[in-house]
Amino acid sequence: MAAQALTLLREVARLEAPLEELRALHSVLQAVPLNELREQAAELRLGPLFSLLNENHREKTTLCVSILERLLQAMEPVHVARNLRVDLQRGLIHSDDSVKILTLSQVGRIVENSDAVTEILNNAELLKQIVYCIGGENLSVAKAAIKSLSRISLTQAGLEALFESNLLDDLKSVMKTNDIVRYRVYELIVEISSVSPESLNYCTTSGLVTQLLRELTGEDVLVRATCIEMVTSLAYTHHGRQYLAQEGVIDQISNIIVGADSDPFSSFYLPGFVKFFGNLAVMDSPQQTCERYPVFMEKVFEMIESQDPTMIGVAVDTVGILGSNVEGKQVLQKTGTRFERLLVRIGHQAKNASMELKIRCLDAISSLLYLPPEQQTDDLLRMTESWFSSLSRDPLELFRGISSQPFPELHCAALKVFTAIANQPWAQKLMFNSPGFVEYVVDRSVEHDKASKDAKYELVKALANSKTIAEIFGNPNYLRLRTYLSEGPYYVKPISTTAVEGAE
C-alpha cells in the first residue's frame, strides 16, 4: 500500500494537472497505516504537492491539503522544519484558510518538539507570518497562531525572539487591524504572562500589559467588559495577582464597582468585575478579600435581589465560588440574616427561574453545602443544616421535585445537591425519614442517560462510603447501597426467561 502511494506521488510530480492521480493518491492514503508511511518518510517528496496549492483550483487544493495532512504526520517535526521552511512560509500567506490551518498545525508540531523549535526561532520571516495570522478573519487560524506563539514563549529563546526583536513591532502593528484583533493579541500576552514572573516581566516591559490595564479602567464600558475577562485570567496566577495589586489595579476595579451605582451602563461590565473578586477571594483569602474590598459583597447581595437574570446568575455563581471552601463559608455565615435572605432567594430561583439559571442555582447550592469529612465539626454541620433549611419550607422535596423533571441537566444538578450533603449525618437522617427516598436512591429505572446514571452512582457512592450511614439507614439499606455500588453505574438486571416445551 505504501509503495503504491509513493508511485502515485511520483506520478503527481510528473503531470501538469494531475487531478485524477490526486484523487487516486487520496483514496490510497486513507488505507495506508501511519507506521508504514513513517518507514517510507525519507522517500516522500512533497514539493510538487505544495506547488499545486498555488494553482487556485478548489478541488486540487482540498485534495492536496488532505494528502499533505496525512503525509506530514509521517514525518518527524525536525525534518519538516528543516526541509520545508519555504513551503511553510508560503502556506501561511496562502489565500485559502485550510492551507493556513494545515501549515499552522505543522508549526504546532514543531514548537512542541524541543529539537525542532530552534529551527523556527531562527526563521524570522516564518515567525512574522505566524504573528500576522493573528490578524486574519478566520478565528481557527488566529487561535492556532496564538497557540504556537504561546508555546514558543515557554523558552527563554522564545521570549527573546518575540519581545526583543522586530517581532514586537509586528505584534503592535497587527493590533491596529481592529478591536477584535487587538483583544486576540491581549489574549496571547495574558497567556504568556501567566507562565512565570519572568514571562510577565517581558510582557510588561513591552508595554502591552499596561495598555490592556489602561483600557480596563478607561471610559469605554464595552472594552471594560472584554478586558476584565483577560485580567481575571492573569489573576489566576500568584505572580499575576501580586503584579495587579502592586500596580493598584485591584483597588481601581473596586473603585469602579463603588461608582457603578451612578453609571447607567454599569450592567455591561459589572458582572465581570464581580466575578473577578469572586475568583480573587477563592485564590487568595476569602476573609481578607471581603474585608479589604467590602463593596464586593455589598454588590453581590444587591445583584441577587435584582430582576435581571444576568445579574442574579453572576451573584449566584460568585456565592458558589466563594462558598466552595470553609473559610469562604465562614465569611458568608458572618453576614447573618443577609445571607439567610440570599439563600431564600436562591431556593426560589432554583424552583422558578429559567432552566439555565435553575442549574446555576443548584450548582451553587451544591458548592455551599459540601463539607469534606475531615472538616465536619459540629459548628460547621449545624451551619450547613441551617443553610439547607433556609432554602425552602421543605428543601428535600424541592430538590426531589426538580430531579423528577424530564431534563437530564436539571436532574443531574439536583442529584449533585443530594451528593453534596450525602456524607453529613443530619442530611442522612432527613433522607431516611423522607418517605420513599431510600427507594428512589437505589431505583435504577429513574435514570435513562449516561450522565444521569453517573450522577446517581456518585450519590450512592457518597452515601455508601459514609461512616455514619449504616447506623442511620440501618444495615439492610446499607447493604442495598453497597450492592448498587459494586454493580456499577450501568448495571441492568437480567430478565429471566422460562423455556416452554414445544415453543418455536
Side-chain angles (χ1 to χ4, degrees):
M1 272 290 191
Q4 187 184 351
L6 281 170
T7 305
L8 284 165
L9 193 55
R10 293 188 193 103
E11 288 293 315
V12 167
R14 281 201 296 269
L15 297 167
E16 285 183 21
L19 192 53
E20 289 306 318
E21 280 69 19
L22 280 174
R23 287 174 183 152
L25 177 57
H26 182 264
S27 178
V28 168
L29 277 175
Q30 305 310 308
V32 182
L34 202 57
N35 60 330
E36 277 189 41
L37 284 176
R38 286 197 180 105
E39 289 168 13
Q40 307 286 341
E43 296 182 51
L44 297 175
R45 298 288 177 266
L46 304 186
L49 283 170
F50 276 106
S51 299
L52 286 170
L53 290 171
N54 301 321
E55 290 194 8
N56 200 20
H57 184 292
R58 181 172 288 279
E59 189 181 354
K60 278 186 192 174
T61 300
T62 303
L63 285 166
C64 283
V65 165
S66 184
I67 292 165
L68 281 166
E69 203 168 23
R70 185 79 174 145
L71 294 175
L72 287 165
Q73 274 184 296
M75 292 182 165
E76 289 298 320
V78 176
H79 179 86
V80 175
R82 285 178 185 159
N83 298 293
L84 298 172
R85 292 167 60 125
V86 176
D87 296 308
L88 290 174
Q89 280 169 221
R90 285 182 186 148
L92 290 176
I93 56 171
H94 199 281
S95 59
D96 192 304
D97 285 331
S98 69
V99 179
K100 287 179 183 170
I101 289 168
L102 166 73
T103 310
L104 284 164
S105 72
Q106 291 310 306
V107 170
R109 289 180 67 216
I110 292 164
V111 299
E112 293 286 340
N113 185 294
S114 56
D115 296 324
V117 70
T118 313
E119 299 293 328
I120 280 192
L121 292 175
N122 294 331
N123 187 341
E125 188 56 34
L126 184 66
L127 283 170
K128 180 178 179 176
Q129 295 305 337
I130 297 171
V131 166
Y132 276 91
C133 279
I134 298 174
E137 287 184 16
N138 187 300
L139 183 60
S140 298
V141 171
K143 288 279 187 191
I146 289 168
K147 188 177 177 183
S148 292
L149 290 168
S150 181
R151 183 67 183 76
I152 286 167
S153 304
L154 291 178
T155 63
Q156 179 68 32
L159 286 167
E160 288 171 7
L162 196 54
F163 293 105
E164 294 183 351
S165 70
N166 294 335
L167 217 54
L168 181 57
D169 293 330
D170 293 321
L171 206 54
K172 289 178 178 178
S173 174
V174 166
M175 287 180 82
K176 294 173 184 172
T177 309
N178 56 42
D179 288 349
I180 292 170
V181 174
R182 188 167 78 255
Y183 299 142
R184 287 177 189 166
V185 175
Y186 286 148
E187 184 187 330
L188 168 65
I189 293 300
V190 168
E191 271 191 40
I192 295 170
S193 299
S194 299
V195 172
S196 68
E198 187 184 18
S199 302
L200 175 59
N201 190 43
Y202 271 95
C203 292
T204 52
T205 305
S206 75
L208 293 174
V209 174
T210 311
Q211 190 177 328
L212 166 64
L213 297 176
R214 217 172 23 244
E215 293 205 45
L216 171 72
T217 53
E219 295 304 313
D220 189 320
V221 293
L222 294 175
V223 169
R224 275 184 188 175
T226 306
C227 291
I228 191 64
E229 289 185 28
M230 297 178 202
V231 173
T232 301
S233 296
L234 183 57
Y236 282 129
T237 64
H238 179 67
H239 64 271
R241 291 194 297 280
Q242 269 189 324
Y243 172 77
L244 293 172
Q246 284 163 8
E247 294 297 307
V249 177
I250 301 174
D251 289 333
Q252 284 177 289
I253 294 171
S254 174
N255 291 336
I256 290 171
I257 294 177
V258 171
D261 288 342
S262 58
D263 182 355
F265 301 107
S266 64
S267 61
F268 286 108
Y269 59 82
L270 204 50
F273 278 42
V274 170
K275 278 184 198 172
F276 170 83
F277 275 110
N279 286 301
L280 189 70
V282 169
M283 288 178 285
D284 271 350
S285 157
Q287 187 169 340
Q288 285 177 20
T289 302
C290 293
E291 283 175 1
R292 182 164 182 185
Y293 307 103
V295 68
F296 157 56
M297 278 310 295
E298 278 298 319
K299 193 54 69 175
V300 171
F301 284 123
E302 235 176 76
M303 288 165 80
I304 201 81
E305 296 297 337
S306 164
Q307 298 304 309
D308 181 350
T310 303
M311 294 296 181
I312 298 169
V314 170
V316 165
D317 294 344
T318 306
V319 166
I321 291 167
L322 193 57
S324 60
N325 63 35
V326 167
E327 188 185 329
K329 292 183 205 300
Q330 289 169 328
V331 167
L332 292 168
Q333 177 71 349
K334 281 179 189 170
T335 62
T337 54
R338 294 191 79 182
F339 186 61
E340 279 180 34
R341 286 201 302 275
L342 182 144
L343 288 169
V344 171
R345 181 86 170 134
I346 291 180
H348 176 79
Q349 294 294 333
K351 184 179 180 182
N352 301 299
S354 67
M355 185 153 82
E356 189 245 351
L357 186 49
K358 279 180 183 176
I359 291 166
R360 289 166 77 176
C361 288
L362 293 168
D363 286 346
I365 291 165
S366 301
S367 176
L368 288 167
L369 295 176
Y370 177 68
L371 273 179
E374 65 277 10
Q375 293 177 333
Q376 290 184 11
T377 62
D378 289 344
D379 284 348
L380 288 175
L381 285 168
R382 273 195 296 273
M383 182 186 76
T384 52
E385 183 176 9
S386 153
W387 287 4
F388 186 75
S389 303
S390 298
L391 290 164
S392 167
R393 282 184 195 163
D394 189 346
L396 204 70
E397 276 310 302
L398 168 67
F399 299 125
R400 266 185 82 175
I402 294 171
S403 76
S404 66
Q405 293 179 28
F407 305 106
E409 284 185 350
L410 211 50
H411 179 70
C412 291
L415 286 176
K416 199 173 157 191
V417 173
F418 292 139
T419 307
I421 59 175
N423 65 3
Q424 300 178 48
W426 62 262
Q428 292 169 4
K429 288 171 187 168
L430 272 181
M431 291 175 185
F432 180 68
N433 292 323
S434 175
F437 193 88
V438 177
E439 283 67 28
Y440 163 75
V441 170
V442 294
D443 182 2
R444 290 183 181 273
S445 68
V446 179
E447 284 74 33
H448 304 291
D449 58 284
K450 182 181 182 298
S452 298
K453 289 174 193 287
D454 288 339
K456 173 65 80 70
Y457 188 74
E458 288 303 312
L459 169 57
V460 171
K461 184 160 67 174
L463 286 167
N465 290 338
S466 165
K467 290 178 179 175
T468 53
I469 197 72
E471 182 188 341
I472 293 168
F473 270 35
N475 273 328
N477 287 323
Y478 171 65
L479 291 174
R480 289 167 78 187
L481 291 170
R482 297 304 312 180
T483 302
Y484 191 118
L485 199 61
S486 65
E487 288 170 346
Y490 316 117
Y491 175 77
V492 178
K493 193 174 181 180
I495 301 167
S496 59
T497 54
T498 306
V500 179
E501 192 177 342
E504 288 294 325

